Amino acid sequence: METLPTENAISAAIVQNFSKKLLESLVLDVAIVGGGPSALVAARKLAEAGLKVAIFERKLAPGGGTWGGGMLFNEVVVQESAFHLLDEAGIAHKPVEGASGYHILDSVEMASGLIYNAIKAGAKIFNSVSVEDVIFKNDAIGGLVINWTPVERLGMHVDPLTVVASCVIDGTGHPCEIVQLAVKKAQIKLETPTGGIIGERPMWVAEGEPSTIENTREYYPGLFACGMCANNIMGGYRMGPIFGGMLLSGEKVAKLVIQKLKK
Ligand code: 48H
């Protein structure tokens, strides 16, 4: 048998393996938009529960706001209630002097540890892919409309592809892009006091952390929100470079989705 030139074998392997990964992710139990810390924890927990889950992340590197720490000092703080999520991912942390119950850690270790563990658990991550719309049928959100980020950035007139999913999680952080576009384009009413997006409030660390977890919910049939997105929807406070609330929000949204899908 004629052997292929190495150059060809490498290219063929990349095309075949990527195509298989994407093909297997066109119908999902859970499609997550954005690969920030809350979404990465959710993806790991959902994959560990045996669900078919993929993250679609606009940027080349998943990890969201984790990498930059506080003002590019690449360290972040996590509170005691979320230590178990760091420990499960093998991420090191040590006490903050003078602040009982708070630990400090390397933000690059946190980002890479969360990504690595989500993939090892079986979640798929598609980076450089932007979600530009949702599938909306029978009064429920039924999946995502995706395109390459360079296509989006260059404003190229290229039609997207679709991913069908039983549940969609908006993990897009502060802008809550998916919920925003669902409210605008599908004119849905959210499970909020006004039926719309309340808007993120300013910094209040002690309130922002618990409210992130409290605000993590299903806001419309098939549409969940976690992390800063949930805070924006329900008018929660921001909290700066403290990430326990994000990690716990990811854990909570995974529990809610599992409850819904296992009914
Ligand atoms: C694909 C998209 C799209 C799209 C956006 O902001 P994130 O890190 O998300 P969270 O909520 O898990 O974490 C928030 C945290 O990083 C933070 O900002 C904190 C704690 N702030 C406190 C404060 O006071 O400021 O990540 C969201 C990700 C990003 O990587 C985006 O690129 C991605 O979502 N994304 N991906 N399609 N349409 N929109």
Side-chain angles (χ1 to χ4, degrees):
M1 203 176 85
E2 196 189 335
T3 53
L4 293 170
T6 309
E7 292 82 355
N8 177 278
I10 290 168
S11 299
I14 288 173
V15 171
Q16 273 164 5
N17 278 274
F18 180 80
S19 300
K20 182 169 180 284
K21 192 161 59 180
L22 183 58
L23 206 51
E24 286 173 0
S25 300
L26 292 182
V27 179
L28 293 167
D29 295 317
V30 194
I32 306 182
V33 189
S38 59
L40 288 165
V41 170
R44 173 169 71 83
K45 292 283 177 186
L46 289 162
E48 283 171 354
L51 294 172
K52 209 168 147 197
V53 53
I55 287 179
F56 300 89
E57 166 55 52
R58 174 178 278 142
K59 292 183 186 148
L60 190 54
T66 312
W67 300 102
M71 214 180 113
L72 285 183
F73 291 36
N74 66 359
E75 298 278 328
V76 290
V77 170
V78 166
Q79 55 280 66
E80 201 165 16
S81 49
F83 289 172
H84 65 284
L85 293 165
L86 297 174
D87 297 336
E88 285 167 17
I91 298 166
H93 49 101
K94 61 181 183 206
V96 174
E97 256 178 65
S100 159
Y102 289 92
H103 278 198
I104 187 142
L105 54 145
D106 185 299
S107 68
V108 175
E109 181 176 347
M110 180 158 108
S112 52
L114 295 178
I115 296 165
Y116 178 77
N117 279 280
I119 291 175
K120 283 292 157 198
K124 301 286 181 272
I125 301 184
F126 295 92
N127 53 340
S128 302
V129 172
S130 290
V131 176
E132 60 171 58
D133 210 338
V134 289
I135 300 174
F136 180 64
K137 297 198 286 199
N138 306 321
D139 293 327
I141 302 295
L144 303 176
V145 178
I146 59 167
N147 216 326
W148 297 115
T149 299
V151 166
E152 178 192 64
R153 295 248 164 105
L154 291 169
M156 293 166 75
H157 190 164
V158 177
D159 275 328
L161 294 177
T162 49
V163 171
V164 170
S166 306
C167 292
V168 165
I169 300 175
D170 188 341
T172 62
H174 294 271
C176 70
E177 275 193 35
I178 304 312
V179 174
Q180 293 268 15
L181 76 82
V183 167
K184 194 166 159 224
K185 291 187 73 177
Q187 294 169 13
I188 61 171
K189 290 254 175 295
L190 303 173
E191 291 290 332
T192 66
T194 62
I197 294 167
I198 313 289
E200 183 184 292
R201 292 201 164 91
M203 176 95 69
W204 184 357
V205 174
E207 279 299 310
E209 285 297 308
S211 73
T212 308
I213 303 156
E214 168 64 24
N215 296 336
T216 298
R217 341 192 161 141
E218 184 174 20
Y219 280 97
Y220 189 78
L223 181 59
F224 294 73
C226 64
M228 285 313 291
C229 168
N231 256 350
N232 189 1
I233 296 170
M234 274 299 269
Y237 289 88
R238 65 186 302 199
M239 72 300 291
I242 303 185
F243 280 78
M246 300 304 123
L247 306 179
L248 291 165
S249 166
E251 182 178 51
K252 179 177 171 187
V253 80
K255 271 192 197 136
L256 296 176
V257 167
I258 292 164
Q259 267 167 22
K260 180 173 169 123
L261 294 183
K262 299 233 157 136
K263 255 186 201 159

